[in-house]
Amino acid sequence: MENQLILDREQLRIGKYTSWAADLSPDQLCALLWMVGEYGIRTSPDPNERVLGSPHRREAGRKALVEFVWGKPISLRKAQAIIRASTKMRDNDV
């Protein structure tokens, strides 16, 4: 049996900084974690990790995280599309 992640939605709901996440679907939670990674890996203090992508992917991850917190969660498919589009941007498009 695979290990399962269990979240207490009520605990999220009463949290000062987590109430926005209480009603996320499993798909939206996966998208959120992906965007955390997109942003986090590209802001790492380790220069070997920072070179993994463009500033556009970092910014796309940051913007998506803000949208989640402000009640506009996205699906995993939408997250993939956002990152795909950001990889096509040029440096002067930031």
Side-chain angles (χ1 to χ4, degrees):
M1 179 180 223
E2 196 173 312
N3 289 335
Q4 292 186 13
L5 173 64
I6 299 172
L7 295 173
D8 182 346
R9 291 184 184 274
E10 189 56 34
Q11 188 70 31
L12 291 173
R13 196 169 278 107
I14 64 173
K16 182 176 181 180
Y17 301 111
T18 58
S19 60
W20 59 269
D23 296 319
L24 293 179
S25 70
D27 182 67
Q28 291 168 334
L29 181 59
C30 285
L32 173 65
L33 293 174
W34 186 353
M35 290 304 179
V36 167
E38 284 292 341
Y39 180 70
I41 197 74
R42 287 163 182 80
T43 57
S44 171
D46 183 341
N48 294 321
E49 291 178 356
R50 270 199 316 266
V51 299
L52 291 176
S54 73
H56 307 290
R57 289 180 72 156
R58 179 187 64 231
E59 184 62 8
R62 186 196 66 76
K63 285 179 178 178
L65 292 174
V66 170
E67 293 295 313
F68 267 95
V69 173
W70 288 103
K72 299 177 187 172
I74 60 174
S75 68
L76 187 55
R77 182 174 292 209
K78 177 71 174 174
Q80 292 167 334
I82 289 169
I83 296 305
R84 227 177 278 118
S86 73
T87 61
K88 295 176 182 175
M89 296 178 81
R90 297 181 313 273
D91 286 340
N92 58 355
D93 293 335
V94 175

